[in-house]
Amino acid sequence: MTAAPPAIRARLMTDSVLRFPAGFVWGAATSSYQIEGAIDADGRGPSIWDTFCRRPGAIADASDGAVACDHYHRAADDVAMMAALGLKAYRFSVAWPRVLPAGRGAVNARGLDFYDRLVDQLVAAGITPWATLYHWDLPQALQDEGGWPVRATAEAFVEYAHVVATRLGDRVKHWITHNEPWCASVLGHLEGVHAPGIKSPQAHLASSHHLLLSHGLAVPVIRAAAPGSQVGITLNLVPAEPASPSEADRLATMRFDGWFNRWYLDPLVGRGYPQDLLEAYRSEGYIDDWSFVRPGDLDAMAAPTDFLGINYYTRGIIRSDRVPEAENAPRTVERVGVPTDMDWEVYPEGLRSLLVRVHQDYGFKAIHITENGAAYATGPDASGRVADHDRLAYLDGHLQACHAAIAAGVPLAGYFAWSLLDNFEWAYGYEKRFGLVWVDYETQARTPKDSALWYRDVIARGGP
Ligand code: FCB
């Protein structure tokens, strides 16, 4: 057996448990396209990810989600495994193209039945279901009509939200409208590295607008269909620090923060889009058509929510690209430690400071960490054990950061590790493994890694 590194061993042997508040939500997260497979089963329609994966060069290992973890056929076993790991909550996403294969109109009962069974299984196992409505698998039929850059997609989302909440709302009391609108709009519509693979500033800003609008329009619809629910949205936020104290780096950091964080946070609390970014976009002529912003939209986006979901992985150290390196001040902030397999710096302090800042600046009623985790390739040793102490240390550090944020007064009420299973990591295919549980893609065998067993004990103790 591989021995744990000294720092982890010391931590595992200490008696002092950092206790979290009673009722703290301990969970793990996944998403439909990344785990379900079964893309042709039971009347599912095609999604933009099925299409995007066929584009040559789009996915690092030329794979797709056609089989993935075959969770669609193994959900009952997966729920049993979650129960054995002591999970109190499970965040999954519903695949829109299973429910409404054409994006709107005819409901595919068999697709909805899958989630109905999943929810029943979770509830029977004492695991609280948290449903995300959109984790990036838009029905291809809606993309063919323009996708998120067109307003009709926001309207279709509200119809879809109504259908799902009506069916599951008697048992699902925690709803997340969107997962990471920054990724959907920037990676999907500006950088073109995610589906639908568009590279256009106009499509980027129009899609982000319609994503946020559809969130706001769906919130009251979900509440009405699922009485007594808590409804929120999940943003991926990156705390940013200037690489040096120079004015150029300070301004670049403000711009990054506006682009990455405030563009999504501000409208949610009724402040509209950040003025500094709007002015910059206008003066630079970034796009020429703002007609997608209609009267009343910004009010709709600010529909009151019950919580903010935050996905945190790493921080940003920002260097201006507007002054030549030689003319800028020397860097004073550098990445620390060894990065994960995504080349993301491991920086738990960023999570603590982010939580404190979001609480102070925005005052959401509650915050949940809806994703946090790390890609490490560590696989089974000769005995079959997966000694992923790098992941265990990552999770431990970030839970300590959560604890510190709570001690500082942040209303942090839950934590979902990303991810329950190794899975299809979008443009990286199966090369990056984020799971608490190892998946052998040849046999579909699941093996809880050391991090999963450690997390089980954390949950049982009420803290790391
Ligand atoms: C987040 C996504 C999730 C997964 C993790 C690593 O941006 O929400 O699906 O890809 O990153």
Side-chain angles (χ1 to χ4, degrees), residues 33 44 46-55 57-59 64-65 97 134-140 143 146-149 179-200 203-204 207 211 424-428:
Y33 191 73
R44 176 189 180 274
S47 85
I48 56 173
W49 272 92
D50 301 301
T51 309
F52 186 66
C53 289
R54 286 197 297 270
R55 192 187 273 198
I59 312 298
D64 55 39
Y134 188 70
H135 202 126
W136 309 349
D137 40 1
L138 187 73
Q140 181 61 41
Q143 188 62 42
W148 285 111
N179 180 68
E180 304 188 346
W182 179 90
C183 285
S185 71
V186 171
L187 302 181
H189 296 83
L190 180 65
E191 299 180 354
V193 296
H194 276 192
I198 293 169
K199 293 185 186 174
S200 145
H204 155 45
S207 66
L211 285 157
F424 176 74
E425 180 48 36
W426 309 113
Y428 295 91

Side-chain angles (χ1 to χ4, degrees), residues 31 34 135-136 179-180 183 236 311 313 344 371 418 425-426 434:
S31 87
Q34 294 180 278
H135 202 126
W136 309 349
N179 180 68
E180 304 188 346
C183 285
N236 53 318
N311 294 352
Y313 289 93
W344 294 345
E371 285 179 29
W418 182 270
E425 180 48 36
W426 309 113
F434 276 90

Side-chain angles (χ1 to χ4, degrees), residues 259-307:
W259 177 68
F260 211 110
N261 302 317
R262 287 181 286 119
W263 192 259
Y264 304 88
L265 282 164
D266 284 14
L268 290 177
V269 298
R271 294 180 197 159
Y273 291 122
Q275 211 50 44
D276 56 334
L277 255 265
L278 277 180
E279 276 162 23
Y281 286 154
R282 291 206 168 110
S283 70
E284 292 161 12
Y286 185 60
I287 62 170
D288 36 50
D289 181 7
W290 287 89
S291 62
F292 54 82
V293 183
R294 298 206 192 151
D297 284 2
L298 292 161
D299 291 335
M301 288 177 188
T305 52
D306 300 290
F307 64 89

Side-chain angles (χ1 to χ4, degrees), residues 321-411:
D321 56 9
R322 299 197 174 193
V323 292
E325 183 69 24
E327 287 166 31
N328 203 339
R331 290 170 185 257
T332 50
V333 182
E334 301 282 357
R335 282 160 49 135
V336 295
V338 181
T340 71
D341 288 355
M342 300 294 279
D343 196 30
W344 294 345
E345 181 190 17
V346 178
Y347 194 67
E349 162 56 20
L351 175 55
R352 190 204 60 82
S353 61
L354 171 73
L355 284 166
V356 169
R357 179 248 178 140
V358 169
H359 177 53
Q360 281 172 357
D361 288 0
Y362 294 95
F364 288 94
K365 278 192 242 166
I367 297 177
H368 291 269
I369 298 301
T370 41
E371 285 179 29
N372 174 241
Y376 292 110
T378 324
D381 62 18
S383 71
R385 173 183 170 201
V386 185
D388 61 335
H389 297 126
D390 28 24
R391 177 173 296 98
L392 194 160
Y394 181 100
L395 298 174
D396 186 40
H398 288 79
L399 283 173
Q400 291 184 49
C402 288
H403 192 270
I406 294 171
V410 176

